[in-house]
């Protein structure tokens, strides 16, 4: 919010239920239903479909004026019945939107009632599992919606372990619980790393197939892939949990830690050199395995590329914005590259964001003094960009109006990217992801400044003269 405005203008976040859809869509045979007004599901389906270029079905209980006045009980039950009949899911994630929360519907109670009426039990093997999540957007953002949904899923499946909170059948696996901003290739990359190190692992949620499916003649009603339900139920038996993101709290990891005494490790999203190093070092610590040669070579290639492009990136002033954990890792990478992130911002309200960004600057480039903002909208980001005068913007595609108005290039990273194709194919994590990001940033800067071609352009002036003579 700017000083001149008491309202949010173009939020730098997305709605909380959208985060829950991102989480539920990474689970096998799962359908999402929003309890609220129709427009919420239309808007969020559009956002996700534009970003991933995949069909995204999200049902709605479609509350109208009547539901808003008398409560949405009947609409929700009808919606659940329709979802079961049309999609035949094993799991239904029910996320509330603003209206349902404002009128105060007791969603867990309505679901209990519905299950009794329909004769749906609690056996995850036989029955449909319905998981409610409270996600009004006036509270928080898609970041917390994702976190809350995953916690609700892990809790619900852990219930099948009974009242007694104890590891029953140790499986020796490693749980990985990521953040909302990963792309399908990011998930594939992390799974490959886990395959090469841990061997046995459970990745929740897995959007690698559900949001990046091959073309098929018979489009399934629910996208294939996602974390198998049997694996989610097995998570409390794992040896440890690994959570991505340190700015936002990973509630599913915390739950497993507190309820099952499971060791839980939270690490930054492995973007850039040092954060990918941290990811591997934690894996080595937990598993006691060496870092596979393949990744050591990839690290060497990244270092080589960083040396190659250092002369183009050093001192380039950047503005980085987006989801808090994404911005945290991106900023670290900018500093490693010798860039000067003059403005670091997130749309989420976060108590620890400023302190953590300050720590990173203190460790890598203490002489720099960035402007760090949280809870901003694009209106205030625009003001901050005007004050800080960055030469490049790095963030999601909603910053394109600022970039265009100010003639600054924008490198599209994060969620959403809906004005370009290929967002579902952008790899950002791991050493390979860092290399790809490095190339994109450097080439954008070269394109904008002509740094690379400037020395070569000294000669064509002579050609200009020749051309002129010939023309004459
Ligand atoms: S702000 Fe609330 S009512 Fe509006 S689209 Fe988002 S969830 Fe729906």
């Amino acid at each position: 919010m700017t000083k001149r405005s008491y309202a949010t203008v173009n939020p730098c976040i997305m709605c909380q239920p959208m985060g829950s859809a991102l989480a539920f869509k990474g689970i096998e045979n799962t359908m999402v239903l929003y309890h609220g007004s129709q427009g919420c599901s239309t808007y969020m389906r559009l956002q996700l479909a534009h970003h991933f270029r995949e069909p995204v079905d999200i049902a709605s209980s479609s509350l109208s004026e009547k539901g808003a006045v008398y409560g949405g009980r009947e609409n929700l039950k009808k919606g659940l019945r329709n979802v079961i009949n049309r999609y035949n899911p094993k799991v239904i994630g029910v996320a509330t939107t603003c209206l349902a929360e404002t009128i105060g519907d007791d969603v867990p109670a309505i679901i209990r009632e519905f299950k009794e009426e329909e004769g749906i039990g609690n056996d995850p093997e036989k029955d449909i599992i319905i998981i409610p999540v409270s996600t009004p957007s006036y509270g928080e953002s898609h970041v917390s919606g994702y976190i809350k949904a995953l916690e609700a899923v892990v809790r619900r499946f852990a219930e099948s372990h009974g009242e007694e909170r104890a590891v029953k059948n140790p499986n020796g696996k490693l749980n990985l619980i990521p953040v909302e901003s990963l792309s399908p290739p990011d998930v594939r990359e992390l799974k490959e790393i886990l395959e090469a190190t841990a061997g046995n692992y459970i990745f929740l949620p897995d959007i690698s197939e559900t949001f990046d499916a091959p073309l098929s003649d018979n489009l399934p009603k629910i996208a294939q892939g996602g974390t198998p339900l049997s694996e989610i139920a097995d998570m409390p038996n794992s040896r440890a949990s690994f959570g991505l993101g340190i700015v936002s709290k990973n509630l599913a990891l915390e739950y497993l830690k507190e309820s099952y005494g499971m060791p839980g490790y939270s690490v930054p999203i492995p973007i850039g050199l040092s954060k990918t190093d941290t990811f591997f070092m934690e894996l080595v610590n937990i598993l006691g395995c060496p870092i596979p040669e393949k990744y050591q070579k990839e690290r060497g290639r990244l270092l080589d590329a960083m040396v190659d492009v250092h002369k183009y990136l050093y001192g380039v002033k950047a503005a980085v914005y987006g989801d808090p954990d994404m911005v945290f890792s991106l900023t670290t990478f900018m500093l490693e590259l010798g860039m000067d992130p003059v403005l670091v911002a997130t749309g989420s309200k976060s108590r620890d964001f400023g302190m953590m960004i300050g720590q990173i600057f203190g460790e890598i480039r203490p002489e720099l003094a960035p402007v760090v903002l949280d809870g901003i909208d694009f209106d205030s980001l625009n003001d901050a960009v005007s004050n800080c005068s960055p030469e490049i913007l790095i963030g999601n595609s909603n910053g394109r109006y600022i970039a265009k108005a100010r003639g600054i290039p924008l490198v599209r990273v994060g969620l959403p990217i809906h004005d370009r194709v290929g967002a579902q194919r952008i790899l950002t994590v791991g050493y390979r992801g860092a290399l790809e990001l490095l190339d994109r940033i450097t080439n954008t800067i070269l394109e904008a400044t002509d740094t690379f071609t400037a020395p070569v352009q000294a000669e064509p002036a002579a050609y200009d003269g020749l051309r002129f003579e010939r023309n004459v």
Side-chain angles (χ1 to χ4, degrees):
M1 212 177 0
T2 56
K3 283 185 191 137
R4 63 177 178 277
S5 163
Y6 293 97
T8 297
V9 181
N10 292 335
C12 192
I13 48 173
M14 285 168 290
C15 291
Q16 194 168 198
M18 202 188 88
S20 75
L22 272 169
F24 283 124
K25 291 275 175 188
I27 297 170
E28 176 190 41
N29 212 345
T30 295
M31 184 60 190
V32 188
L33 187 154
Y34 286 163
H35 183 38
S37 38
Q38 173 87 51
C40 306
S41 107
T42 309
Y43 149 62
M44 285 175 252
R45 277 191 290 130
L46 200 71
Q47 289 278 327
L48 292 173
H50 279 181
H51 180 83
F52 291 106
R53 309 276 164 177
E54 291 288 336
V56 179
D57 283 13
I58 296 174
S60 170
S61 60
S62 296
L63 290 184
S64 59
E65 293 85 343
K66 192 177 160 201
V69 174
Y70 297 108
R73 176 180 304 260
E74 291 315 313
N75 278 56
L76 178 53
K77 288 181 183 174
K78 194 172 172 187
L80 285 168
R81 242 173 255 123
N82 282 343
V83 166
I84 292 168
N85 291 338
R86 282 171 171 261
Y87 291 87
N88 191 24
K90 278 299 285 177
V91 177
I92 306 174
V94 178
T96 51
T97 70
C98 302
L99 177 57
E101 290 287 342
T102 305
I103 61 178
D105 270 352
D106 185 348
V107 177
I110 299 172
I111 291 174
R112 272 197 302 276
E113 215 173 275
F114 173 78
K115 284 170 72 176
E116 271 170 33
E117 287 166 12
E118 302 292 320
I120 299 171
N122 280 324
D123 186 341
E125 299 292 317
K126 292 188 292 203
D127 294 306
I128 298 167
I129 301 166
I130 305 173
I131 304 172
V133 199
S134 168
T135 47
S137 283
Y138 48 73
E140 292 163 278
S141 70
H142 64 291
V143 176
S144 51
Y146 183 90
I147 292 170
K148 284 181 187 175
L150 286 184
E151 187 204 12
V153 168
V154 172
R155 270 181 190 273
R156 174 62 189 81
F157 276 81
E159 278 173 17
S160 56
H161 278 233
E163 286 301 302
E164 185 199 345
R165 299 269 185 256
V167 175
K168 289 189 175 155
N169 303 302
N171 58 27
K173 294 179 183 175
L174 184 68
N175 299 329
L176 196 138
I177 306 166
V179 286
E180 74 296 329
S181 48
L182 297 191
S183 68
D186 285 337
V187 173
R188 285 196 278 273
E189 177 72 12
L190 292 171
K191 283 170 70 179
E192 255 182 50
I193 293 173
L194 291 176
E195 197 73 56
T197 50
N200 269 338
Y201 63 90
I202 298 172
F203 200 108
L204 174 75
D206 180 357
I207 58 159
S208 61
E209 297 291 321
T210 55
F211 274 136
D212 192 16
L215 188 68
S216 88
D217 285 343
N218 300 314
L219 193 66
K221 285 196 172 144
I222 296 177
Q224 282 168 356
T227 310
L229 306 187
S230 56
E231 289 196 0
I232 304 173
D234 201 21
M235 285 178 87
N237 292 319
S238 294
R239 63 194 287 183
S241 292
F242 214 41
L244 296 192
I246 57 169
V247 183
S248 305
K249 214 174 195 175
N250 194 318
L251 296 178
L253 179 138
E254 293 297 324
Y255 167 75
L256 289 169
K257 211 158 127 181
E258 279 160 26
S259 300
Y260 292 88
M262 182 181 296
Y265 307 85
S266 287
V267 291
I269 309 175
I271 295 174
L273 180 70
S274 66
K275 297 307 171 209
T276 307
D277 285 350
T278 306
F279 181 79
F280 272 102
M281 290 319 295
E282 281 290 355
L283 276 180
V284 167
N285 286 341
I286 299 168
L287 304 166
C289 64
I291 298 176
E293 198 188 335
K294 173 184 167 182
Y295 296 105
Q296 293 184 31
K297 282 188 177 169
E298 283 181 4
R299 185 179 191 276
R301 286 188 198 107
L302 173 60
L303 277 172
D304 189 38
M306 288 170 75
V307 172
D308 290 345
V309 302
H310 188 253
K311 54 184 176 284
Y312 305 123
L313 299 187
Y314 186 80
V316 171
K317 293 197 284 177
V320 190
Y321 62 91
D323 297 349
D325 274 291
M326 183 84 167
V327 168
F328 176 77
S329 292
L330 281 174
T331 305
T332 312
F333 191 34
M334 302 297 103
L335 291 170
E336 288 165 358
L337 293 170
M339 296 176 76
D340 179 2
V342 287
L343 172 60
V344 181
T346 179
S348 292
K349 291 186 188 111
S350 169
R351 224 183 24 198
D352 298 334
F353 182 71
M355 181 266 293
M356 288 175 145
I357 295 292
Q359 264 177 12
I360 286 291
F361 274 83
E363 283 166 24
I364 306 176
R365 300 278 303 279
E367 72 277 15
L368 300 181
V371 171
V372 183
L373 303 168
D374 74 296
I376 53 137
D377 58 12
F378 276 101
D379 199 33
S380 39
L381 184 69
N382 187 33
D383 288 350
V385 167
S386 163
N387 292 334
C388 299
S389 305
E391 295 156 278
I392 187 168
L393 295 186
I394 298 171
N396 60 52
S397 68
N398 288 340
R400 66 191 181 282
Y401 298 113
I402 299 175
K404 203 168 175 187
R406 301 189 174 277
I408 316 168
L410 166 65
V411 175
R412 288 163 176 79
V413 183
L415 184 88
I417 298 174
H418 42 61
D419 63 336
R420 294 288 185 276
V421 295
Q424 78 277 36
R425 288 186 287 276
I426 296 178
L427 175 69
T428 316
V429 304
Y431 298 122
R432 280 200 311 120
L435 259 177
E436 290 188 14
L437 182 58
L438 172 76
D439 287 345
R440 287 206 296 139
I441 293 172
T442 310
N443 286 331
T444 305
I445 289 170
L446 291 175
E447 179 78 31
T449 62
D450 273 353
T451 311
F452 188 63
T453 51
V456 184
Q457 279 173 350
E459 273 187 82
Y463 298 147
D464 277 351
L466 283 178
R467 204 161 40 239
F468 179 71
E469 280 173 19
R470 275 193 209 114
N471 288 343
V472 166

